[in-house]
């Protein structure tokens, strides 16, 4: 799986199980965590088997991207637009969570395909909620305008205590990611990966993709941001998004890909390290085999352990013994 | 490029063939002890002149011999930051498994990337020619492995980048 999928597989599985056994009363209480510190809680009680309570906790935003009202701006409208009457937002949300949704599974549409698509959309609640501000800005870009009273430099959270930056304009939106990694090996691998982004954009066939730049120092767009927002040990990646990247169906995909860019690079850095370990182990085994070939004695000792020597007694010997 | 590698390895092989004449020698200072003299370096009459074979400024091989032991230290070429961490990672991986390799030293000698310690006991257990073959093959394998790891990182990086950018088209 090269690309990260927008729906949570465990959540989708749980929803599908529930929908298939809607009349069976079960008690469900699941907690789990996903990448970048997004936590989920699903609860179903025996009394109301068709009601499912879904709570989501988002990564802590840094100072420049604080949530007003506990949720990113535009999140509530996005939830209502995506889910309609099936979902009711509970206010206040459960303790420790940013959002609690009450799903009424009996109100799902009867058509199988439509129902499945809607359940996949519910399992993508992370994309809908966390990606809501980005979606708002990109929707304005699709109509080549800028949202009223929008700051020049917008900070949105994508990891705990870290944010990425947007410069929304009428004809393009510039997105800047400061890339930070805790481990020094991760940083070097990520830097080589990020430089590949710039290189592969130049290849043919990708000229329609957003222009991509990597720089070691903060780019000019970030003038005016706070100092700790400007420190990044693996450099800064800049994408320029044009209206053609956000028209129609492409909007959701673009929102997801940009929101999870850092997670995507991190995931592949870790996969790369795992692959290197497997290779190194294989190499160690082949070297030890080469060393064992230098030992000749093992074969000889094997033979002497198992072979026996016999001396045949002939009749002549036994005859001479008795006579003399 | 390949030419100098062959010459470098042949030179090391010839030096090892000359140097690997090890015999058992109980310790002169402490009774009933038998130590590899090349590690202790207490008695100058038991040590031979160390030989340094340089391929270029970045790659060299130090061979120190004594009456009962032989120490080979290698410095591997590291062109850029990525090769640097890959080499460090790979050689640390090998050094941690020194027990399985028997002739490998757990820590490299100061100034080098990896070290071998061969004693007379190893020479008694294993054939001298095959042991030298192993060392030379080890050196080739390290170079091959580092370049293959670097290529796999670059290939993966390109694939990751292409897949990501294709999503926007």
């Amino acid at each position: 799986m090269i690309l990260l999928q927008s729906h949570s597989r465990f959540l989708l599985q749980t929803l599908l199980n529930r929908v298939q056994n809607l009349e069976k009363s079960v008690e469900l209480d699941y907690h789990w965590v996903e990448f970048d510190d997004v936590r989920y809680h699903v609860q179903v009680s025996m009394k109301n088997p068709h009601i499912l309570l879904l709570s989501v906790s988002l990564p802590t935003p840094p100072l420049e991207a604080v949530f007003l009202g506990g949720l990113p701006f535009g999140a509530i409208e996005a939830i209502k637009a995506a889910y309609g009457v099936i979902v009711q937002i509970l206010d206040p949300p459960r303790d420790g969570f940013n959002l609690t949704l009450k799903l009424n599974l009996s109100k799902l549409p009867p058509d199988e395909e439509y129902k499945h698509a809607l359940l996949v959309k519910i399992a993508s609640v992370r994309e809908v909620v966390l990606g809501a501000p980005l979606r708002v800005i990109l929707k304005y870009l699709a109509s080549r305008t800028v949202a009223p009273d929008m700051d020049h430099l917008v900070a949105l959270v994508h990891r705990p205590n870290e944010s990425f930056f947007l410069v929304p304009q009428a004809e393009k939106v510039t997105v800047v990611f400061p890339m930070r990694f805790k481990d020094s090996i991760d940083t070097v691998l990520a830097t080589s990966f990020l430089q590949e982004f710039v290189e592969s954009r130049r290849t043919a066939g990708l000229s329609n993709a957003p222009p991509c730049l990597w720089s070691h120092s903060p780019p000019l767009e970030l003038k005016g941001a706070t100092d700790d927002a400007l420190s990044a040990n693996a450099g800064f990646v800049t994408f320029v998004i044009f209206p053609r990247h956000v028209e129609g169906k492409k909007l959701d995909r673009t929102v997801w890909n940009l929101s999870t860019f850092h997670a995507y690079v991190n995931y592949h850095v870790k996969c790369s390290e795992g692959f290197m370990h497997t290779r190194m182990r294989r190499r160690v085994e082949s070297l030890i085999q080469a060393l064992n070939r230098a030992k000749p004695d093992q074969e000889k000792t094997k033979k002497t352990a198992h072979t026996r020597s016999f001396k045949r007694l002939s009749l002549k010997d036994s005859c001479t013994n008795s006579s003399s | 490029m390949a030419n100098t590698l062959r010459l470098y390895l042949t030179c090391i092989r010839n030096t090892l063939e000359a140097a690997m004449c090890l015999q058992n020698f109980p310790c002169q200072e402490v009774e009933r002890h038998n130590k590899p003299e090349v590690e202790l370096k207490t008695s100058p009459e038991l040590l031979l002149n160390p030989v340094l074979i340089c391929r270029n400024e970045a790659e060299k091989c130090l061979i120190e011999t004594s009456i009962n032991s032989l120490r080979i230290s290698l410095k591997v070429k590291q062109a850029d930051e990525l090769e640097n961490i890959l080499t460090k990672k790979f050689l640390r991986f090998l050094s941690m498994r020194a027990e399985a390799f028997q002739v490998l030293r757990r820590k490299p000698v100061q100034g080098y990337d990896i070290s071998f310690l061969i004693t007379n006991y190893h020479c008694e257990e294993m054939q001298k020619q095959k042991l030298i073959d192993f060392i030379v093959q080890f050196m080739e394998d390290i170079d091959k492995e580092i370049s293959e790891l670097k290529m796999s990182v670059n290939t993966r990086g390109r694939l990751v980048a292409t897949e990501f950018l294709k999503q926007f088209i």
Side-chain angles (χ1 to χ4, degrees):
Chain A
M1 185 183 81
I2 301 183
L3 297 162
L4 297 175
Q5 293 171 314
S6 61
H7 59 261
S8 158
R9 285 164 77 150
F10 183 61
L11 183 53
L12 182 61
Q13 202 65 44
T14 315
L15 289 170
L16 287 172
N17 277 343
R18 268 289 65 223
V19 164
Q20 274 163 8
N21 311 316
L22 206 49
E23 295 318 314
K24 260 193 249 178
S25 303
V26 284
E27 190 82 25
L28 284 186
D29 198 331
Y30 295 151
H31 270 106
W32 74 98
V33 189
E34 273 189 2
F35 64 92
D36 284 342
D37 204 22
V38 167
R39 290 157 201 269
Y40 294 88
H41 179 215
V42 159
Q43 202 172 21
V44 177
S45 68
M46 301 269 276
K47 295 177 288 175
N48 303 320
H50 54 272
I51 300 277
L52 189 139
L53 281 172
L54 171 64
S55 302
V56 183
S57 156
L58 304 172
T60 327
L63 287 171
E64 64 268 11
V66 160
F67 297 149
L68 297 167
L71 285 175
F73 77 84
I76 300 187
E77 290 81 27
I79 296 172
K80 290 199 182 126
Y83 303 137
V85 336
I86 305 172
V87 157
Q88 188 193 347
I89 304 177
L90 293 183
D91 189 28
R94 280 282 171 89
D95 232 353
F97 290 94
N98 293 69
L99 173 73
T100 304
L101 298 174
K102 185 167 158 188
L103 294 161
N104 195 336
L105 296 172
S106 53
K107 286 200 189 148
L108 282 171
D111 175 46
E112 277 306 318
E113 250 186 62
Y114 196 22
K115 193 194 317 190
H116 189 87
L118 194 53
L119 287 176
V120 170
K121 193 80 190 174
I122 295 177
S124 315
V125 61
R126 176 203 180 124
E127 178 200 352
V128 172
V129 175
L130 257 187
L134 183 59
R135 201 165 197 280
V136 165
I137 296 178
L138 292 179
K139 210 135 193 238
Y140 276 103
L141 176 69
S143 60
R144 287 169 175 78
T145 52
V146 186
D149 58 68
M150 176 78 51
D151 297 325
H152 171 71
L153 188 66
V154 181
L156 297 178
V157 65
H158 63 315
R159 294 177 89 206
N161 285 319
E162 284 178 35
S163 56
F164 65 103
F165 298 92
L166 295 157
V167 178
Q169 286 164 302
E171 9 30 85
K172 63 178 184 178
V173 171
T174 313
V175 190
V176 182
F177 292 93
M179 305 296 284
R180 293 180 196 105
F181 292 89
K182 289 212 186 81
D183 191 31
S184 60
I185 297 182
D186 282 3
T187 312
V188 175
L189 284 174
T191 314
S192 94
F193 275 15
L194 294 173
Q195 281 163 341
E196 281 297 330
F197 271 87
V198 184
E199 299 275 324
S200 40
R201 172 128 192 313
R202 285 193 226 133
T203 67
L206 288 179
S207 46
N208 269 339
C212 178
L213 294 165
W214 181 86
S215 74
H216 193 71
S217 55
L220 296 164
E221 287 90 356
L222 286 188
K223 233 191 301 191
T226 57
D227 276 338
D228 31 279
L230 291 180
S231 69
N233 52 8
F236 296 82
V237 181
T238 312
F239 286 103
V240 184
I241 311 288
F242 292 113
R244 65 170 182 269
H245 299 129
V246 291
E247 41 201 29
K249 295 251 172 205
K250 291 195 227 168
L251 176 63
D252 283 335
R253 236 176 22 193
T254 305
V255 166
W256 175 247
N257 285 325
L258 289 175
S259 316
T260 52
F261 176 67
H262 197 295
Y264 179 69
V265 174
N266 206 4
Y267 164 60
H268 280 285
V269 163
K270 295 293 181 193
C271 281
S272 203
E273 284 183 4
F275 178 66
M276 287 201 291
H277 271 270
T278 313
R279 270 196 78 100
M280 291 196 284
R281 260 181 236 125
R282 241 184 285 149
R283 183 62 75 171
V284 162
E285 272 173 31
S286 82
L287 283 172
I288 292 184
Q289 269 175 4
L291 187 60
N292 286 339
R293 268 182 266 137
K295 294 184 190 165
D297 290 336
Q298 283 180 357
E299 298 166 55
K300 280 197 193 142
T301 50
K302 265 197 182 156
K303 279 196 187 145
T304 48
H306 291 288
T307 52
R308 281 163 246 253
S309 50
F310 293 96
K311 189 178 175 204
R312 265 200 119 167
L313 283 175
S314 63
L315 275 172
K316 215 165 108 181
D317 286 345
S318 56
C319 278
T320 45
N321 278 344
S322 60
S323 59
S324 62
Chain B
M1 188 58 192
N3 249 341
T4 56
L5 178 67
R6 283 287 119 214
L7 286 173
Y8 180 55
L9 292 176
T10 317
C11 184
I12 291 180
R13 181 187 285 272
N14 290 339
T15 315
L16 284 177
E17 276 177 16
M20 207 175 287
C21 314
L22 308 176
Q23 54 181 295
N24 189 17
F25 191 84
C27 181
Q28 293 186 126
E29 272 102 36
V30 185
E31 226 178 85
R32 293 210 251 173
H33 275 209
N34 197 321
K35 308 175 193 177
E37 294 296 333
V38 76
E39 292 284 349
L40 301 173
K41 298 205 169 123
T42 45
S43 316
E45 72 271 16
L46 301 172
L47 304 172
L48 278 89
N49 284 334
V51 176
L52 181 64
I53 305 166
C54 293
R55 187 178 173 187
N56 46 46
E57 297 94 29
E59 281 187 75
K60 51 187 179 169
C61 175
L62 177 67
I63 300 179
E64 302 160 283
T65 326
S66 71
I67 188 162
N68 63 356
S69 44
L70 162 66
R71 190 161 70 181
I72 307 163
S73 306
L74 297 171
K75 182 140 186 67
V76 178
K77 129 177 100 83
Q78 288 148 49
D80 57 21
E81 191 63 39
L82 183 60
E83 260 185 41
N84 201 351
I85 60 146
L86 288 176
T87 312
K88 252 200 297 212
K89 212 173 160 66
F90 183 50
L91 293 179
R92 204 171 142 261
F93 196 87
L94 291 174
S95 303
M96 291 217 289
R97 284 157 181 75
E99 193 91 0
F101 279 105
Q102 295 178 45
V103 293
L104 203 59
R105 201 169 180 264
R106 269 193 201 277
K107 279 193 76 134
V109 169
Q110 188 81 318
Y112 292 86
D113 292 325
I114 193 164
S115 297
F116 295 86
L117 177 68
I118 303 179
T119 62
N120 56 300
Y121 297 114
H122 295 142
C123 287
E124 283 162 26
E125 273 175 28
M126 304 184 238
Q127 291 180 356
K128 175 175 155 179
Q129 278 305 322
K130 296 245 173 83
L131 197 49
I132 296 176
D133 283 343
F134 170 71
I135 305 268
V136 171
Q137 194 196 336
F138 193 95
M139 292 174 65
E140 286 181 8
D141 274 353
I142 292 182
D143 277 338
K144 230 192 298 173
E145 188 66 31
I146 303 289
S147 58
E148 275 176 22
L149 282 175
K150 184 172 180 191
M151 200 160 52
S152 82
V153 168
N154 286 339
T155 314
R156 183 182 279 264
R158 204 159 307 133
L159 184 64
V160 160
T162 319
E163 280 305 313
F164 185 78
L165 290 174
K166 267 203 293 203
Q167 290 291 299
F168 291 93
I169 300 181

